[in-house]
Amino acid sequence: MTARREPISRRERPAKPALSRRWIVDTAVRIMRAEGLGKVTMRRLAQELDTGPASLYVYVANTAELHAAVLDSLLGEVDLTGRDGGEGWREQLRAVMTSYTGVLFEHPQLARAALVARPSGENYLRLVERILDLLSQSGAGREQVAWGVDKLLQSATATAAEQSTREHDPAFEDDWDATVRALHAVDAATHPAITAHMPALVGGSVSDRLRWSFDVLVNGIVHTPVPVVED
Amino acid sequence: MTARREPISRRERPAKPALSRRWIVDTAVRIMRAEGLGKVTMRRLAQELDTGPASLYVYVANTAELHAAVLDSLLGEVDLTGRDGGEGWREQLRAVMTSYTGVLFEHPQLARAALVARPSGENYLRLVERILDLLSQSGAGREQVAWGVDKLLQSATATAAEQSTREHDPAFEDDWDATVRALHAVDAATHPAITAHMPALVGGSVSDRLRWSFDVLVNGIVHTPVPVVED
DNA sequence: ACCTGAACACCGTTCAAGT
DNA sequence: ACCTGAACACCGTTCAAGT
């Protein structure tokens, strides 16, 4: 019998894989799905990877960059086809933006991270490419389209950062409540405009507001020329 | 000689004032102006107030609420007159929004806090009141105006959170650089739209973009009716 | 009611030293 | 080049105990 050296002793764990950026980010995504972005810390991640936090700095510059990488990974879930929207560029674009918003709504804290550290991974680039392509079918000028993509993404991201925070985190629920209460409690004499606009100011469903925001931006973008650049 | 018991020993400090929400927030503002919002922590603040962190929780629910209070205090610096804008509601509104953006640009981290925990203090209410008043002079519907105020504030806040972060914090500078580099390095075959829009996508001065954003939103808001509410 | 010391359960990041 | 242990310098929040 030939002696086959079975590496049995190295088998207690699923064979601790070599560290790599890919493996680090995938693990971070797994932690986020299971316990939220708040748990995706350098220390916790290192623990999960069976190493010390210092080791991660070979592959990731800092926590913000790590979160940006997690976001990019999540963006792989966005439906870029706009298939649900039907035929026109506008409806397809709406469907893509709705899908993007949906992904962020499911991972509230990620939206906040996106506003701070912009992603630059492949999924983000694919998303930008697709939105540019659809928006340019509006016939608007090149610069309007370029700047417009930014506003569309910013608006959706900011809404997700605000709105969905409220739903998941009881601490932030309070802040929104406080704002609503403050708006209701306002003195009609000193704040006539708030009083006059009051039900609407805090009303409306999330989806109505999202749809309206989208229309506002698209209408604005295609009708507002960029300022002439001076040399 | 009469023995006069001088309370000299109690005089090393300016007579530690009683704790109060007001005093806590003012101290927080002072720390922020001197060292940035990052230093406005419960522990650091308690130290400055010569007490333990637990004492603050009598007046402030948590760190997010504290930051919201600091922001509201800062909003007192916004010029609500819109005096610089001249006569029309549009120009005055632009001036108010520019002033608001300016305040946030000087305190980058505060803009991020604003997206998460909305303020509800007197200065915030005054700002909302003023923007509502100006925007309603456009003649747009009540609901459009109410929802429009939200979008105007959100857009300005998000831009400040993104843009000014970059200027002050070297760590985030890298993320923007990475995004710009990624957009430049893109393959023209797989990402034709990015390539076609490339100089514009990352170009434009901050103030040109802000001005254009404002016009886009105002144009969009006044021309886009809100969806009919079903009962 | 207000205030506090002390504790619990964490953080990010760096650096000298090893392989 | 990659990896690590250990350290530095912090966090937010709670709670039992005091006044």
Side-chain angles (χ1 to χ4, degrees), chain B residues 16 19 43 51-55 58-59:
Chain B
K16 177 180 175 181
L19 238 40
R43 291 182 108 104
T51 181
S55 306
V58 176
Y59 304 95

Side-chain angles (χ1 to χ4, degrees), chain A residues 199-200 202-209, chain B residues 147:
Chain A
V202 297
S205 71
V206 174
S207 68
D208 281 348
R209 286 210 181 215
Chain B
W147 291 10

Side-chain angles (χ1 to χ4, degrees), chain A residues 3 12 16 33 44 56 73 76 80-81 104 106 123 125 131 136 139 142 153 166 174 202 211 216 218 222:
Chain A
E12 314 99 19
K16 176 180 176 184
R33 284 191 204 278
R44 175 63 203 284
L56 306 181
S73 178
L80 296 181
T81 65
L104 288 188
E106 274 171 54
N123 290 321
L125 293 176
I131 299 174
S136 63
R142 224 202 283 287
L153 285 170
R166 288 206 273 283
D174 297 345
V202 297
R211 166 171 273 266
V216 163
V218 171
V222 303

Side-chain angles (χ1 to χ4, degrees), chain A residues 176-204, chain B residues 119-121 124-125 128-129 132:
Chain A
W176 178 238
D177 284 356
T179 304
V180 171
R181 241 181 298 116
L183 286 168
H184 271 119
V186 124
D187 182 347
T190 54
H191 300 77
I194 288 179
T195 308
H197 291 84
M198 196 37 206
L201 219 39
V202 297
Chain B
S120 56
Y124 176 74
L125 293 176
V128 170
E129 172 70 19
L132 272 172

Side-chain angles (χ1 to χ4, degrees), chain B residues 141-155:
Chain B
R142 223 202 282 291
E143 299 230 286
Q144 271 159 266
V145 170
W147 291 10
V149 169
D150 232 54
K151 291 313 286 184
L152 281 171
L153 285 170
Q154 185 193 61
S155 170

Side-chain angles (χ1 to χ4, degrees), chain B residues 33-185:
Chain B
R33 284 191 204 279
E35 304 171 58
L37 193 69
K39 291 285 160 63
V40 180
T41 66
M42 292 304 222
R43 291 182 108 104
R44 173 65 201 284
L45 187 50
Q47 187 188 310
E48 204 81 11
L49 291 165
D50 211 4
T51 181
S55 306
L56 306 180
Y57 285 84
V58 176
Y59 304 95
V60 170
N62 50 49
T63 306
E65 201 209 274
L66 173 66
H67 287 179
V70 169
L71 172 61
D72 191 78
S73 178
L74 257 285
L75 289 183
E77 290 177 10
V78 176
D79 177 9
L80 297 181
T81 64
R83 173 185 326 109
D84 298 344
E87 291 299 299
W89 65 267
R90 198 182 177 111
E91 297 312 312
Q92 286 190 5
L93 181 53
R94 193 203 304 280
V96 171
M97 293 308 300
T98 301
S99 175
Y100 172 73
T101 311
V103 169
L104 288 189
F105 265 59
E106 274 171 56
H107 306 282
Q109 304 137 304
L110 225 39
R112 270 183 278 166
L115 283 168
V116 167
R118 227 177 267 234
S120 56
E122 48 170 358
N123 290 321
Y124 176 74
L125 293 176
R126 265 199 278 271
L127 176 64
V128 170
E129 172 70 19
R130 181 63 173 142
I131 299 174
L132 272 172
D133 180 35
L134 287 168
L135 193 57
S136 63
Q137 291 176 39
S138 70
R142 223 202 282 291
E143 299 230 286
Q144 271 159 266
V145 170
W147 291 10
V149 169
D150 232 54
K151 291 313 286 184
L152 281 171
L153 285 170
Q154 185 193 61
S155 170
T157 308
T159 300
E162 288 175 350
Q163 193 63 34
S164 45
T165 298
R166 288 206 274 283
E167 278 161 25
H168 293 271
D169 195 327
F172 292 114
E173 182 85 54
D174 297 345
D175 284 308
W176 178 238
D177 284 356
T179 303
V180 171
R181 239 180 300 117
L183 287 167
H184 270 118

